[in-house]
Amino acid sequence: MSLLEVRGVTRSFYGVHALNGVDLDVEPGKITGLIGPNGAGKTTLFNCISGLVPADGGSIRFDGTDITRLRPDQVTRSGLVKTFQIARGFPRLTVLENLLLYAPDQPGEHVGAALLRSRAAVAREREIMAKAVEIAAMLNLSHVLANKASDLSGGQKKLLEIGRALMSEPKLILLDEPAAGVNPTLVREIGEKLREIVARGVTLLLIEHQMDMIARLCDHVIVLAEGRRLLEGSFEEVAGNHEVQQAYMGRRA
Amino acid sequence: MENYIIAMGVSAGIYALMALGMNIIWGMAGLINLGLVGFFAVGAYTSALLTVKFGLPIVVGVMAGGAAAALVGVIVSLVTVRMRGDYLAIVTLGFAETIRVFATNEIWLTNGSDGISGIPGPFRGALTPVEFNSLYLAIMVVVVAVAYVLVERLSYSPFGRVLRAIRDDEQVAAVAGKQVLLYKVQAFALGSVALGVAGALYGHYTSYIAPDIFVPLLTLYIKLALLAGGVGNSKGAVLGAFVVVFFLECTRFIVPLIPAITPVQGAALRELIVSVSLLVILRFRSGGLIPEARSHLVVPAALPAPTRS
């Protein structure tokens, strides 16, 4: 059974059809690539799945439950988290705080427990702190844990984005261009980290424009064009397809 | 003279309490609220009416004042939930003016522009004015200290972390799994408690409240106190409140010493001195006198020092 099932999802912005009934499936334990030309609706689809932009129609099922109408915080708590394309986040929080924030089930986020400094809140804080330190080590962010997130380099921000997603203990991460605007060495490094994450049992769906990264990482590739799924298959199948080439390059007159 | 200084101490305490409330709403959660004085008025009227008309004890009145302000805070935050920035500023400003107009016109309840007089103060009849002021100052010190500790607790807690995250990016905070609306409402309500209690304590201190006390200028003074002291820092909020009261009062004595200006010019000059001082503070210390802490760890952690990159 697939982990994520998207069926007939539509979304328009002021009459422009960004999504025209998208169907797709994400199999657990794999890296699925989502590619397509600019304006194909990839980011909109991510926003619909994660609850940031409600879908106009269609249904989205995750891990056996319908998440179509859930708020973003509910989607994240159900085990599906998305990252942002342009590394966004909390510039005035430290890297450590950025990570801690994403941890679920912190009783200290309730006013009462916060005012009383409850034992459960302090214990949970120690737990998630240990986890944050471990994730930071995996992503080579240990030395900048005490820095403000705004002080990080572009590449470090991308890594923090992945680290934050991991802190939410997800089953599925939607990665929106994890390697955009990053130097080739770091692209390779990010690719290795993603493999490591999948080895830990997390499933990934990633939007990416760097085809070598898609070729290297993805078990399965889905092509989106003009708000619809055009095709899916292995990278070789997809890359050799005439329609896909036309969607990217345009038609010969 | 010492009585005057004590009275100024009480004023500064009330300003400090309001600045602490503002520090939750604006400093931590980043929600602009230009209607502070409205919540202050709700607290003041609630406590005054309960103690004058129904003869309830002052403590009950003050607590009810805080609760009433919190309730109004919940309503205002729910009404304004889709607004941000300038829009939120305008609506909250309008809210405070609405409260003032209501207090002026609903004479059956508030006695209109004549105001409510004879609001009881603790042991007012049994004490000399100096003793009463001293007692009240002691009460203010305790109340501000308690509020300070509670706001610090919130600031150094996972709850405070969520508020600061919302201040930076609401959408990302939602994706982080936080129910943003709930936190905004809570921040508004908690801050309003401090504002309402401050209003109630003001009424019991001066024994008289009227609509023309609750003007937008008071909101601006509190905002100024927080800006000067340090937005997002509780120590800064308290210090800023004292600095503002100090400047407002000092200028009262300095301005008449300047030769050849009329009293009207003098009053304008006082405002000018206060604004220039704020500009000077913000020019050289943009984060205020005591800027917000770099990090708010809930439990201590051994981390490498932040690197310069």
Side-chain angles (χ1 to χ4, degrees):
Chain A
M1 203 190 81
S2 35
L3 186 61
L4 180 71
E5 282 178 30
V6 176
R7 291 290 173 269
V9 167
T10 55
R11 172 73 205 196
S12 315
F13 296 101
Y14 311 104
V16 178
H17 299 286
L19 299 176
N20 283 315
V22 176
D23 297 309
L24 63 83
D25 286 273
V26 175
E27 299 303 320
K30 288 188 175 170
I31 305 183
T32 305
L34 184 62
I35 63 170
N38 288 324
K42 304 181 296 292
T43 297
T44 304
L45 179 63
F46 268 23
N47 285 339
C48 284
I49 297 172
S50 62
L52 283 174
V53 173
D56 294 335
S59 76
I60 303 163
R61 286 179 77 78
F62 171 65
D63 203 18
T65 50
D66 186 11
I67 60 161
T68 320
R69 304 262 162 254
L70 295 190
R71 291 190 311 265
D73 55 296
Q74 293 169 320
V75 172
T76 299
R77 284 199 298 266
S78 76
L80 191 169
V81 65
K82 83 159 229 144
T83 67
F84 288 87
Q85 182 177 2
I86 305 154
R88 273 167 73 173
F90 312 109
R92 285 180 284 180
L93 299 189
T94 64
V95 171
L96 178 64
E97 286 169 332
N98 264 270
L99 292 170
L100 293 175
L101 183 82
Y102 268 65
D105 308 320
Q106 166 51 285
E109 287 177 0
H110 298 283
V111 181
L115 286 174
L116 297 171
R117 230 183 125 75
S118 78
R119 205 170 294 178
V122 172
R124 177 67 180 148
E125 187 75 8
R126 284 187 212 288
E127 244 172 65
I128 63 179
M129 184 102 88
K131 182 146 189 235
V133 167
E134 183 215 313
I135 286 175
M138 182 188 114
L139 297 170
N140 302 333
L141 291 171
S142 299
H143 59 295
V144 290
L145 272 173
N147 283 54
K148 293 265 184 206
S150 55
D151 297 341
L152 298 185
S153 70
Q156 287 171 327
K157 280 182 186 156
K158 288 288 192 187
L159 289 167
L160 176 58
E161 194 79 48
I162 296 170
R164 285 203 317 239
L166 281 177
M167 281 300 292
S168 71
E169 298 172 13
K171 295 191 192 99
L172 172 63
I173 306 179
L174 309 184
L175 291 152
D176 199 345
E177 298 201 36
V182 164
N183 71 60
T185 321
L186 193 56
V187 170
R188 205 157 272 281
E189 197 185 313
I190 289 175
E192 281 162 28
K193 301 298 176 203
L194 295 183
R195 273 192 196 290
E196 232 177 290
I197 291 165
V198 173
R200 292 172 171 210
V202 180
T203 306
L204 302 179
L205 174 62
L206 83 142
I207 296 177
E208 191 48 72
H209 280 298
Q210 306 203 19
M211 288 306 153
D212 51 335
M213 187 174 191
I214 293 280
R216 216 169 45 241
L217 286 179
C218 295
D219 305 295
H220 192 73
V221 178
I222 298 167
V223 186
L224 214 60
E226 292 169 13
R228 268 194 202 86
R229 182 185 53 182
L230 187 64
L231 182 77
E232 61 182 297
S234 70
F235 180 76
E236 287 73 24
E237 284 164 14
V238 165
N241 184 283
H242 186 61
E243 268 186 277
V244 173
Q245 290 167 357
Q246 276 188 339
Y248 267 94
M249 305 299 182
R251 269 166 244 278
R252 212 180 280 274
Chain B
M1 185 66 192
E2 73 260 45
N3 201 15
Y4 170 76
I5 291 170
I6 295 168
M8 286 314 110
V10 175
S11 277
I14 287 167
Y15 275 41
L17 194 53
M18 293 180 77
L20 284 170
M22 177 86 152
N23 197 29
I24 301 176
I25 300 173
W26 185 44
M28 284 192 228
L31 300 166
I32 296 170
N33 180 355
L34 288 186
L36 291 188
V37 74
F39 300 96
F40 184 72
V42 167
Y45 270 101
T46 304
S47 190
L49 289 171
L50 288 178
T51 50
V52 173
K53 287 204 175 169
F54 299 97
L56 291 176
I58 294 169
V59 178
V60 176
V62 171
M63 289 200 295
L71 185 68
V72 174
V74 169
I75 295 167
V76 170
S77 63
L78 286 175
V79 170
T80 58
V81 69
R82 304 240 169 267
M83 297 172 196
R84 256 183 285 176
D86 300 346
Y87 297 96
L88 188 56
I90 293 292
V91 171
T92 50
L93 190 67
F95 154 76
E97 284 298 279
T98 308
I99 295 284
R100 193 162 65 89
V101 172
F102 180 89
T104 313
N105 290 292
E106 299 305 313
I107 299 168
W108 60 275
L109 181 68
T110 62
N111 206 23
S113 49
D114 289 345
I116 300 172
S117 53
I119 304 169
F123 308 105
R124 199 195 302 275
L127 299 173
T128 66
V130 175
E131 285 168 349
F132 176 76
N133 281 350
S134 307
L135 172 67
Y136 219 89
L137 182 60
I139 292 172
M140 282 316 301
V141 168
V142 171
V143 172
V144 170
V146 169
Y148 171 82
V149 169
L150 293 179
V151 176
E152 278 291 274
R153 278 257 167 120
L154 286 181
S155 186
Y156 287 85
S157 77
F159 176 81
R161 182 163 67 217
V162 176
L163 294 191
R164 279 186 292 272
I166 291 171
R167 178 181 72 181
D168 271 358
D169 195 324
E170 241 175 74
Q171 235 183 23
V172 184
V175 169
K178 315 305 167 197
Q179 200 180 338
V180 174
L181 170 64
L182 186 71
Y183 283 97
K184 283 183 167 180
V185 170
Q186 290 184 89
F188 241 96
L190 288 167
S192 302
V193 171
L195 297 169
V197 167
L201 289 171
Y202 173 83
H204 292 293
Y205 177 60
T206 62
S207 83
Y208 171 71
I209 56 171
D212 60 1
I213 293 165
F214 305 105
V215 289
L217 189 63
L218 185 56
T219 296
L220 296 182
Y221 282 150
I222 301 305
K223 197 155 176 163
L224 204 147
L226 198 53
L227 269 174
V231 182
N233 188 306
S234 311
K235 282 191 197 76
V238 175
L239 176 68
F242 277 83
V243 167
V244 165
V245 171
F246 179 77
F247 269 106
L248 286 175
E249 293 304 320
C250 264
T251 49
R252 196 190 291 276
F253 297 102
I254 295 168
V255 168
L257 302 179
I258 304 169
I261 55 168
T262 65
V264 176
Q265 288 170 325
L269 197 59
R270 279 179 66 197
E271 304 285 327
L272 190 68
I273 293 173
V274 173
S275 13
V276 168
S277 324
L278 177 73
L279 287 175
V280 169
I281 290 174
L282 291 183
R283 169 63 186 80
F284 293 102
R285 291 188 74 88
S286 58
L289 294 169
I290 314 178
E292 184 176 29
R294 272 191 67 84
S295 131
H296 296 80
L297 286 173
V298 180
V299 293
L303 297 177
T307 54
R308 295 244 149 249
S309 56

